[in-house]
């Protein structure tokens, strides 16, 4: 377990918590496709394999070398809804409910449709934020009192994959029939519920001819007098994992950032950052240069996404503003009448941030958990209705057999990059340290 994960666990153990006693349940062991084909067909799910030992701390993590690199198909993967339903009914004969730890209130809307589709099964859904659901699962696992069955969580920097997953707290369930409709690149780190990304927003009334910038570098441009061209609004980058992961990806993709700078300005990028206070920070990295320049801008940090896009709505052509927020905040355009639109940037606009669904290891309802996961991602034919609460502008379904009725453009058309969590994981802490250090030097902040 790496030092970051140990620190997170120690912090979590300081919290006040309670547990109800819960028995362990059997689950099939994850295995490679080759091993599965050679193994005899199982009449019932086999006992769950013990958690694999975490990679050596000094070794740089590589998803390709991990036994958890997906998709991984096991005995559960071929089971139908009917087979899982029969097993789940046995699991709840004591009157217990299938517990879902979710990070979206929209999951609450799945409860009634699931229980209607599968009479006799009850689900309890706990709506928490990303850090809270992870801490809860970690505490329960370490206390030996597992209460959760399904975990919905976002992983934008590899912390969940290289931590909780490889530490044996959660497992990915890959229903083979459904995964046939999902790009393998989106199955590397877990089983996805949907994809999203972050956008810079601009004022469509102030710029009626379209977005005022096309490149990340143009966002931080200055006028001849040294003043900023745009007022910038965002959540605090250093404490917002999704945004910092995006900036860390620029370090990974430094060649793209440098090439885009030359494309925009017709000259090579000049490197001005001083990272001498940090060991092992490369010189002449365009992603680090961008992080340095951005950290020295005048930025207004706002924690609420609705307020971020409202700041853009209240801006003018004479005093223009841009705000970085989640794609879903575009709904304020229709719900609140805001004059806002997405900015699509080069060399890529953002990362495909995936919401994942995991089965909690040693849970009481392993079949019920998997049945719920299948249901909420559309079921065998994509028509279960479980995904309906998550269908909105700014959320993109990952199945190719589910029509996206909310978004006019795909994530590919919006220039989103597929997640490379292994590479981001390797530079994330360095990016965070640099950001905090350089932001402290910014005379416009504080």
């Amino acid at each position: 377990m790496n030092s970051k994960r140990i620190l997170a666990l120690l912090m979590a153990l300081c919290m006040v918590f309670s547990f109800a006693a819960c028995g362990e349940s059997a689950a099939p062991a994850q295995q490679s496709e080759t091993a599965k084909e050679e193994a005899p067909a199982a009449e019932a799910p086999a006992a769950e394999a013990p958690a694999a030992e975490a990679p050596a701390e000094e070794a740089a993590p590589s998803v390709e070398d991990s036994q958890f690199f997906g998709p991984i198909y096991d005995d559960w993967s071929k089971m139908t809804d009917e087979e899982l339903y029969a097993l789940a009914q046995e699991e709840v004969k004591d009157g217990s409910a299938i517990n879902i730890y979710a990070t979206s209130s929209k999951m609450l809307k799945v409860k009634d449709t699931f229980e209607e589709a599968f009479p006799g099964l009850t689900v309890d859904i706990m709506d928490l934020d990303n850090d809270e659901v992870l801490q809860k699962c970690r505490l329960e696992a370490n206390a030996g009192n597992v209460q959760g069955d399904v975990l919905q969580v976002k992983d934008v920097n590899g912390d969940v994959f290289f931590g909780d997953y490889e530490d044996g707290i959660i497992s990915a369930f890959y229903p083979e029939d459904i995964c046939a409709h999902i790009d393998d690149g989106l199955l590397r780190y877990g089983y996805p519920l949907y994809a999203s990304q972050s956008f810079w927003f601009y004022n469509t009334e102030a710029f009626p001819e379209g977005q005022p910038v096309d490149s990340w570098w143009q966002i931080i441009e200055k006028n001849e007098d040294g003043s900023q061209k745009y007022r910038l609004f965002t959540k605090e980058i250093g404490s917002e994992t999704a945004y910092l992961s995006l900036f860390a990806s620029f370090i990974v993709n430094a060649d793209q950032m440098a090439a885009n700078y030359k494309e925009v300005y017709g000259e090579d990028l000049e490197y001005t950052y001083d990272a001498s206070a940090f060991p092992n920070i490369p010189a002449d990295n365009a992603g680090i240069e961008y992080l340095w320049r951005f950290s020295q801008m005048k930025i207004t940090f706002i924690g609420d996404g609705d307020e971020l896009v409202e700041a853009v709505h209240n801006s003018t052509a004479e005093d223009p503003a841009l705000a970085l927020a989640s794609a879903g905040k575009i709904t304020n355009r229709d719900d609140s009448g805001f004059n806002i639109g997405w900015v699509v940037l080069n060399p890529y606009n953002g990362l495909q941030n995936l919401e994942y669904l995991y089965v909690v290891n040693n849970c009481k309802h392993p079949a019920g958990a998997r049945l719920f996961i299948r249901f909420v991602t559309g079921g065998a034919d994509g028509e279960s209705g479980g995904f309906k609460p998550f269908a909105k502008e700014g959320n993109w379904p990952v199945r190719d057999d589910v029509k996206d009725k909310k978004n006019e453009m795909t994530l590919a058309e919006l220039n989103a990059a597929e997640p490379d969590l292994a590479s981001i994981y390797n530079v994330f802490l360095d990016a965070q340290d640099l950001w905090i250090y350089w932001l402290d030097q910014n005379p416009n902040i504080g």
Side-chain angles (χ1 to χ4, degrees):
M1 183 180 294
N2 60 51
S3 59
K4 180 175 67 172
R5 304 289 298 112
I6 294 173
L7 179 59
L9 179 59
L10 290 174
M11 292 175 64
L13 287 172
C14 295
M15 301 172 60
V16 177
F17 63 94
S18 64
F19 298 102
C22 170
E24 295 186 356
S25 298
Q30 289 186 324
Q31 55 189 337
S32 70
E33 182 66 23
T34 302
K36 179 182 179 303
E37 290 175 353
E38 295 175 352
E43 294 182 1
E48 184 169 348
E53 185 176 348
E57 186 173 344
E58 59 272 11
S62 169
V63 68
E64 289 80 4
D65 295 335
S66 171
Q67 64 175 300
F68 301 96
F69 178 64
I72 303 168
Y73 298 114
D74 57 19
D75 292 331
W76 292 106
S77 299
K78 290 186 181 295
M79 296 185 76
T80 65
D81 290 339
E82 292 73 21
E83 291 171 321
L84 290 170
Y85 183 29
L87 291 173
Q89 287 176 304
E90 294 297 316
E91 294 170 349
V92 300
K93 279 189 172 180
D94 59 356
S96 58
I98 302 166
N99 290 321
I100 315 299
Y101 292 171
T103 58
S104 171
S105 59
K106 293 179 176 62
M107 192 68 80
L108 297 169
K109 299 179 180 179
V110 183
K111 173 181 172 66
D112 291 342
T113 54
F114 177 81
E115 292 176 352
E116 182 179 345
F118 300 102
L121 301 185
T122 303
V123 295
D124 285 342
I125 297 174
M126 184 173 294
D127 176 22
L128 301 168
D129 68 25
N130 219 67
D131 290 338
E132 288 173 336
V133 293
L134 287 170
Q135 286 180 355
K136 188 165 180 61
C137 283
R138 293 164 189 165
L139 290 170
E140 291 180 4
N142 284 279
N145 288 309
V146 176
Q147 298 179 7
D149 295 296
V150 174
L151 171 66
Q152 176 208 348
V153 69
K154 183 179 293 184
D155 191 10
V156 292
N157 66 344
D159 196 31
V160 176
F161 181 87
F162 291 107
D164 302 273
Y165 192 3
E166 291 200 342
D167 288 347
I169 295 175
I170 53 178
S171 294
F173 164 53
Y174 293 101
E176 196 164 5
D177 57 338
I178 299 177
C179 288
H181 296 284
I182 302 174
D183 186 282
D184 275 358
L186 302 181
L187 297 170
R188 290 185 294 178
Y189 303 97
Y191 179 69
L193 172 58
Y194 64 85
S196 63
Q197 71 166 317
S198 302
F199 280 92
W200 284 95
F201 287 75
Y202 77 101
N203 187 306
T204 53
E205 185 175 63
F207 298 96
E209 295 184 0
Q211 61 185 61
V213 296
D214 299 294
S215 165
W216 279 89
W217 296 103
Q218 291 172 326
I219 290 173
I220 57 174
E221 279 185 358
K222 294 185 177 181
N223 298 308
E224 292 184 0
D225 62 1
S227 61
Q228 292 181 198
K229 281 193 174 182
Y230 306 99
R231 286 188 294 133
L232 302 180
F233 297 86
T234 181
K235 295 182 179 180
E236 210 285 283
I237 302 294
S239 58
E240 187 67 20
T241 306
Y243 296 167
L244 187 59
S245 296
L246 175 56
F247 280 71
S249 78
F250 297 153
I251 300 174
V252 174
N253 299 310
D255 290 347
Q256 294 183 45
M257 292 294 288
N260 180 245
Y261 183 92
K262 188 167 186 177
E263 180 181 347
V264 173
Y265 299 107
E267 58 186 28
D268 291 333
L269 174 65
E270 179 184 358
Y271 296 93
T272 61
Y273 66 87
D274 177 10
S276 58
F278 299 89
N280 304 318
I281 296 299
D284 298 349
N285 180 289
I288 296 178
E289 179 66 24
Y290 190 87
L291 184 69
W292 155 247
R293 295 190 187 189
F294 190 89
S295 73
Q296 300 308 295
M297 302 296 287
K298 184 176 182 180
I299 309 168
T300 301
F301 297 127
I302 300 177
D304 183 82
D306 295 319
E307 293 180 9
L308 283 168
V309 294
E310 185 176 12
V312 171
H313 168 71
N314 291 330
S315 66
T316 64
E318 294 71 32
D319 187 21
L322 300 171
L324 181 62
S326 63
K329 295 306 174 183
I330 193 68
T331 57
N332 282 283
R333 177 195 57 207
D334 302 320
D335 297 343
S336 303
F338 288 178
N339 299 314
I340 55 174
W342 291 332
V343 175
V344 182
L345 298 171
N346 293 306
Y348 53 91
N349 188 67
L351 302 175
Q352 293 190 31
N353 295 327
L354 296 174
E355 288 283 345
Y356 293 99
L357 293 168
Y358 292 99
V359 177
V360 181
N361 286 349
N362 300 314
C363 65
K364 187 173 183 178
H365 309 98
R370 289 167 171 84
L371 180 62
F372 184 87
I373 289 174
R374 286 181 59 90
F375 180 82
V376 77
T377 54
D381 58 2
E383 300 292 336
S384 71
F387 185 72
K388 185 177 180 180
F390 300 95
K392 63 173 244 180
E393 192 172 11
N395 288 350
W396 284 265
V398 294
R399 294 179 58 158
D400 62 16
D401 61 339
V402 173
K403 186 175 181 180
D404 186 358
K405 301 177 181 179
K406 300 293 184 179
N407 295 285
E408 295 182 0
M409 301 176 68
T410 66
L411 279 175
E413 291 171 324
L414 291 166
N415 206 18
E418 282 194 2
D420 182 4
L421 299 190
S423 297
I424 293 173
Y425 185 86
N426 287 334
V427 303
F428 181 84
L429 290 181
D430 286 334
Q432 188 173 51
D433 289 343
L434 288 168
W435 170 263
I436 294 171
Y437 180 74
W438 282 336
L439 187 69
D440 189 55
Q441 301 175 23
N442 186 340
N444 299 309
I445 303 295

